[in-house]
Amino acid sequence: MKVKKFSKISLIVTLLVTMMFTQLAVSFTPAYADGDKLDLKAEAAILLDAETGKILYEKNADTVLGVASMSKMMTEYLVLEAIDEGKITWDQEVLINEYVHNLSKGAGLSNIGLTQGEKYTVKELYEAMAIFSGNAATVALAELVSGSEKNFVTLMNEKAAELGMEDYKFVNSSGLNNSDLLGKYPAGSETEENVMTARDMAILAFRLLKDFPEVLEISSQSKLQFRDGKEYPNFNWMLPGLIYEYEGVDGLKTGSTDFAGFNFTATAERNGQRFISVVMKSTSKDERFTDTRKVLDYAFSNFGSEEILKAGYTSKKQGTVAVSKGKEDSVTLETSEAIDLVIEKGTEDEYKPVFVIDEDKLNEDGELVAPVKKGDVIGYVTVKSENDDYGFITSDGEKLASVELVASETVEKANWFVLSMRAVGGFFGDVWDSVSSMVKGWF
């Protein structure tokens, strides 16, 4: 009887403990992870506010994957940079060599035929690359900028590091598999492809739009009328008039290979609000656009620009700084203008100000030195969420979401008599403190 009774008690205790831990497991499991919430088929994805680079959503953003023709965005960046620096011009003519000609005839590759010995302008080749993803045109531009595609690939990797990308490897300028390059692959092994993470691709897209916004003038074109008399459609089928048309989309680049799957880096703007999205390794050509639509729908439905701090805002805890040699011993600091930030709607109360003082403005004692004029820039103010969020795509993202911190009033320098009296007062104050400490030590 005792054994049976003990067994029943043991069973009851075991059931209670199991129920307790099951309940705890449920309570600590989020109802939806971001990837489940959007139900993406893509293996990796990321969403940014295009103005500040604030990350609004991500899924497996640090998984290294093939990027295919999205690689051409780096080629676009370097070509636009070379034009900006005066090294090449849009009207400059490029003579097509035998290799580029043969590559332009490559079976199964995205290309516009380029005739050996014929000259094409930089703009013609750039349009062929950016609109119809012309691989041979891309190689021709790479050779123009750096003398050889091998040199250009070195430049691509160097620029990636400069832009703050971390997990990437470029082995050619086009994004093809090296096995498609007719035995003339510039780097890596003969079957390698360019790889990077969705986060790195977002960095590239963000900097491309920031540094060369004119990129949209060509990426937004739904079709290309080339000199051969043929019309070539843009592979970005979300552009106006194409089968997955999406309001506001005007770039940037698709890409696909057997290794990389189907990728798309998109950007769209509505009512002055621009987002950047990246989806990588979607399951099909169509699915990459379906995935992108889900990400952009999520962006436009749930996020907007909100005023987090008003112009002239100051803080009781952080809003003053000591002033040396001034008529007043401190000065109040305030925001020069309002801080607007793209955030999830209804979460503005979660963001708190952070005052950052420029230490180069301070003396060794951490003070400003008079005179201080009203409006002098003393630092900057940014905001941070009380809840965990994804942060910014670049290391200086906080500064892009900040405003100047300025002196709210003028503090004039005190005259020599006042400074002398302060010095005398300070001397006798130190003497008194020393005597007081000595007397206390007697007792």
Side-chain angles (χ1 to χ4, degrees):
M1 293 293 292
K2 288 183 178 179
V3 173
K4 289 183 178 180
K5 186 176 181 180
F6 178 79
S7 297
K8 289 180 179 179
I9 294 172
S10 176
L11 179 60
I12 292 170
V13 170
T14 300
L15 289 172
L16 288 172
V17 170
T18 301
M19 290 173 65
M20 179 182 71
F21 278 101
T22 301
Q23 184 61 38
L24 284 172
V26 171
S27 65
F28 283 107
T29 302
Y32 292 99
D34 273 339
D36 295 330
K37 180 166 62 179
L38 298 190
D39 191 29
L40 301 184
K41 300 300 187 295
E43 188 167 323
I46 195 167
L47 170 68
L48 307 181
D49 163 39
E51 179 61 29
T52 64
K54 191 175 191 306
I55 303 170
L56 308 175
Y57 162 85
E58 60 180 56
K59 173 188 177 182
N60 299 330
D62 296 308
T63 300
V64 178
L65 298 168
V67 291
S69 281
M70 292 196 303
S71 308
K72 293 181 174 73
M73 289 165 56
M74 178 61 84
T75 303
E76 291 174 16
Y77 188 101
L78 292 171
V79 169
L80 292 171
E81 184 178 64
I83 291 172
D84 186 62
E85 293 174 353
K87 295 178 180 178
I88 61 175
T89 67
W90 284 116
D91 295 330
Q92 186 171 340
E93 293 184 325
V94 182
L95 183 68
I96 301 303
N97 58 38
E98 181 181 7
Y99 169 62
V100 171
H101 165 67
N102 289 334
L103 185 62
S104 77
K105 299 187 300 180
L109 303 182
S110 174
N111 267 315
I112 291 176
L114 301 175
T115 304
Q116 181 179 353
E118 191 166 335
K119 294 179 180 179
Y120 297 80
T121 66
V122 168
K123 187 171 184 181
E124 285 178 308
L125 295 173
Y126 184 97
E127 289 176 337
M129 171 181 66
I131 298 173
F132 195 65
S133 202
N135 293 293
T138 304
V139 174
L141 289 170
E143 292 178 345
L144 173 67
V145 172
S146 296
S148 70
E149 189 178 9
K150 180 178 180 179
N151 291 342
F152 190 80
V153 169
T154 299
L155 185 60
M156 294 173 84
N157 285 296
E158 290 174 349
K159 181 58 67 173
E162 181 185 321
L163 295 180
M165 296 160 63
E166 294 185 356
D167 297 302
Y168 59 87
K169 183 180 181 181
F170 289 100
V171 296
N172 59 58
S173 62
S174 63
L176 289 173
N177 189 288
N178 273 348
S179 62
D180 292 319
L181 296 178
L182 310 181
K184 293 190 66 174
Y185 54 92
S189 70
E190 64 177 325
T191 57
E192 275 194 85
E193 292 188 21
N194 299 334
V195 295
M196 68 177 72
T197 64
R199 190 180 309 280
D200 284 332
M201 182 54 66
I203 291 173
L204 175 57
F206 177 71
R207 288 298 304 270
L208 182 59
L209 288 176
K210 277 288 184 185
D211 298 343
F212 305 106
E214 63 268 27
V215 69
L216 296 175
E217 295 175 10
I218 293 177
S219 71
S220 61
Q221 296 179 30
S222 300
K223 56 188 177 182
L224 170 64
Q225 191 73 42
F226 204 63
R227 67 158 70 176
D228 59 9
K230 297 179 182 179
E231 188 175 272
Y232 297 88
N234 197 316
F235 286 113
N236 175 2
W237 292 352
M238 297 184 82
L239 289 170
L242 302 183
I243 60 176
Y244 285 99
E245 180 178 350
Y246 187 91
E247 181 187 352
V249 166
D250 51 6
L252 279 163
K253 193 72 189 72
T254 60
S256 65
T257 64
D258 290 341
F259 170 71
F262 296 90
N263 306 326
F264 183 30
T265 297
T267 184
E269 182 180 34
R270 294 180 186 173
N271 301 318
Q273 174 61 59
R274 179 175 292 280
F275 294 105
I276 297 169
S277 69
V278 179
V279 298
M280 296 180 68
K281 212 160 190 177
S282 289
T283 55
S284 70
K285 184 181 294 185
D286 294 333
E287 196 66 56
R288 63 183 166 190
F289 300 118
T290 302
D291 283 339
T292 297
R293 176 178 292 275
K294 289 177 181 179
V295 176
L296 292 177
D297 280 349
Y298 174 67
F300 285 112
S301 297
N302 292 277
F303 295 89
S305 182
E306 302 286 346
E307 184 178 85
I308 309 299
L309 287 183
K310 294 183 177 182
Y313 172 86
T314 189
S315 167
K316 292 181 180 179
K317 293 182 178 180
Q318 307 175 73
T320 60
V321 64
V323 178
S324 172
K325 300 181 180 180
K327 288 186 176 181
E328 288 79 33
D329 59 7
S330 66
V331 65
T332 301
L333 306 179
E334 64 182 17
T335 55
S336 60
E337 54 187 299
I339 292 184
D340 295 321
L341 188 64
V342 173
I343 59 172
E344 189 169 2
K345 295 172 183 177
T347 64
E348 54 267 29
D349 291 341
E350 297 176 6
Y351 289 83
K352 304 302 177 185
V354 178
F355 282 49
V356 181
I357 306 295
D358 183 353
E359 294 185 359
D360 292 338
K361 305 279 187 178
L362 307 178
N363 63 16
E364 294 179 355
D365 297 319
E367 303 169 317
L368 294 171
V369 178
V372 177
K373 294 181 180 179
K374 181 177 181 178
D376 280 354
V377 178
I378 311 302
Y380 68 91
V381 183
T382 187
V383 291
K384 287 189 176 180
S385 173
E386 293 178 328
N387 298 320
D388 292 336
D389 61 16
Y390 297 115
F392 294 85
I393 196 66
T394 60
S395 59
D396 61 348
E398 282 188 3
K399 289 187 177 180
L400 294 174
S402 67
V403 296
E404 292 178 340
L405 185 60
V406 300
S408 65
E409 56 200 353
T410 295
V411 177
E412 296 179 355
K413 186 174 182 179
N415 59 42
W416 68 270
F417 180 77
V418 172
L419 294 176
S420 298
M421 290 302 98
R422 286 181 184 173
V424 171
F427 170 76
F428 283 109
D430 291 341
V431 170
W432 174 254
D433 289 342
S434 298
V435 172
S436 297
S437 298
M438 182 176 64
V439 171
K440 287 179 182 178
W442 292 346
F443 295 95

